[in-house]
Amino acid sequence: MKGIYIYLLFLLLALCSCDKDDQQVSYDTSNSFDTSSPIASLISRVTQYETSKDNVLDGTNSCAVKLPVTFYINQHYNVTISNPAQYAQVVSFKNEYNNDDDVVHFNFPITLVLHDYSQRVVANEQQWQALKASFGNDSAYNDIDCINFVYPVKVNVYDTASQIAQSITLQNDQIANQTLHQLSASQILNFVFPLSVVSTGNQAVAISNLSELETNINNAAATCNAGSTTSSLSDILQQGNWKVSYYFDNHEHTNLFNPFTLSFQNTGHFMAISGSGNREGEWLVYTENTSTFLHLDCDQAPINALEADWKVIEVTNSFVRLKQQEGNQVKYLSLSKM
C-alpha cells in the first residue's frame, strides 16, 4: 500500500514539480537510492570531473589542475602543459634519473577543478600543500571514465520529509553529479528506465534497472583499473596500513570502524588497532570460478561485522572495493590505504 500512496503522491505533484518537460512523475521503490547507498558512490565517480588523469602533476584524485599550467620538475624549467596528451612528457621527466625528487613545482597562481566541477584558485606553494593535506583520503574520487551515460537522462527526486516530488532531465555529467550531491538526507532519487550507457568500444548498452547499472559500472571500473597494478591483492594488503572507508549493510555503518587501523600480516593474521583496544583476526585471498575473494574472520566486535567471504570488485594499489551477497542480502566494504 505504501508504494501505491507514494505513486499517487508523485502523480498529484507532477504538475507543480520542477519537471521541466511537464511529464508525469512516476516512482519505483525498487530502483531508488539515497546518497549513502553504494550505487550513489559509483554514479558519482562516473559523472565527476576527471581528476585522476593528471595525477602525474598533482598526485591526488580530489582535483585536477586547470590547463594550461607552467612548472618546473627536476632539471626541466618553465615547462608548460596545455593539453592532457602532454602528461606523458611529465612521466618521461620523472623517469629520466633515479636520484632526483620528481616533485612538480608550479608557477603560481594555479586553478584547480575539484571532483564536483567547482574551481579554486591557489596563490602559492603553502596554500597548495595545505589544501592537499586537507583532502585526506581521495579514493572516493578515483573517476571511472570507461563508461558514460547517454544523455539526456530523466530522474525523479522525492523528499520523504516535505513530500515534494520533482522530475529532472539531466543533460550532462556535470548536472548529473551536482544533482546527486545536492540531495539532502531526506531525499531519494529514482532513474527513469530504460536508459543507455556507453562502455569500452563505444558500444551502447540498454539498462533497465539499478542492478544492471551497478553491474555495468563495476565491469567498467575493473576495465579502467586493469594494468594499474601488477601486484596481487595479498601483496597490496600487506603494504602499509588500511582503514574501512565504506561499509554498507542495509544502511551505511562506516563510522563503526573509524577508530580502527587495519594491518594485514604475512602470517594470515590481521590486526585492527585502536586506542580502545586491538582486535585480531585471520585473512585469506583465494580464487573461485575466476573471481577473487577476500576471506575475513574475527569474533570480536565490531570487527566481527566484517567476517565474510568478500568478492573483490575493484582493486588498485591504494583502494579495494568488495561485495558480499547471500540471497537478497548484499553488503559492501571498501578499504583505503592510509
Side-chain angles (χ1 to χ4, degrees), residues 245-316:
S245 53
Y246 185 77
Y247 178 74
F248 186 93
D249 183 3
N250 291 320
H251 301 282
E252 184 182 359
H253 301 289
T254 310
N255 62 322
L256 291 175
F257 309 98
N258 288 345
F260 293 92
T261 297
L262 302 181
S263 175
F264 294 88
Q265 302 161 8
N266 60 11
T267 59
H269 293 82
F270 74 89
M271 295 293 297
I273 305 165
S274 76
S276 61
N278 300 337
R279 315 288 193 271
E280 184 175 358
E282 297 179 344
W283 69 285
L284 174 69
V285 174
Y286 67 94
T287 301
E288 184 177 286
N289 297 327
T290 71
S291 296
T292 301
F293 291 85
L294 172 62
H295 172 78
L296 296 177
D297 187 3
C298 181
D299 59 6
Q300 297 170 288
I303 305 301
N304 59 347
L306 305 181
E307 184 173 305
D309 288 280
W310 297 93
K311 183 178 181 179
V312 179
I313 304 300
E314 182 180 0
V315 58
T316 69

Side-chain angles (χ1 to χ4, degrees), residues 5-132:
Y5 287 133
I6 292 176
Y7 178 83
L8 291 175
L9 178 62
F10 268 97
L11 200 60
L12 291 172
L13 294 176
L15 295 177
C16 61
S17 71
C18 67
D19 178 6
K20 298 184 177 3
D21 296 323
D22 294 326
Q23 295 181 353
Q24 174 179 304
V25 179
S26 61
Y27 179 71
D28 180 359
T29 55
S30 66
N31 283 310
S32 64
F33 61 93
D34 61 20
T35 55
S36 68
S37 66
I39 189 67
S41 174
L42 290 177
I43 294 169
S44 177
R45 291 173 59 195
V46 170
T47 59
Q48 72 168 72
Y49 190 84
E50 294 185 358
T51 55
S52 62
K53 286 185 178 298
D54 77 333
N55 283 4
V56 67
L57 280 179
D58 58 26
T60 177
N61 292 326
S62 295
C63 67
V65 179
K66 190 174 182 179
L67 303 180
V69 65
T70 301
F71 57 91
Y72 76 87
I73 176 174
N74 300 333
Q75 301 302 312
H76 300 276
Y77 297 92
N78 294 320
V79 180
T80 298
I81 295 294
S82 56
N83 64 76
Q86 295 175 292
Y87 293 149
Q89 183 180 4
V90 184
V91 175
S92 67
F93 290 157
K94 291 188 174 185
N95 291 338
E96 278 183 330
Y97 305 103
N98 295 324
N99 58 349
D100 43 33
D101 61 15
D102 293 339
V103 176
V104 174
H105 301 272
F106 295 110
N107 288 3
F108 293 95
I110 61 174
T111 300
L112 306 179
V113 185
L114 304 188
H115 58 88
D116 62 359
Y117 295 85
S118 63
Q119 298 189 18
R120 186 176 300 184
V121 176
V122 180
N124 53 54
E125 181 71 22
Q126 184 178 3
Q127 285 187 9
W128 170 230
Q129 294 302 326
L131 185 60
K132 284 184 68 175

Side-chain angles (χ1 to χ4, degrees), residues 3 6-7 10 25-35 37-40 43 149 153-158 170 180 183 187-195 206-215 332:
I6 292 176
Y7 178 83
F10 268 97
V25 179
S26 61
Y27 179 71
D28 180 359
T29 55
S30 66
N31 283 310
S32 64
F33 61 93
D34 61 20
T35 55
S37 66
I39 189 67
I43 294 169
F149 286 99
V153 172
K154 292 186 177 181
V155 298
N156 299 324
V157 177
Y158 176 66
L170 309 177
L180 180 62
L183 292 178
Q187 289 181 311
I188 49 181
L189 186 145
N190 169 230
F191 279 102
V192 177
F193 292 102
L195 57 82
I207 305 295
S208 59
N209 54 57
L210 274 185
S211 178
E212 290 182 7
L213 181 60
E214 179 184 350
T215 298
Y332 298 85

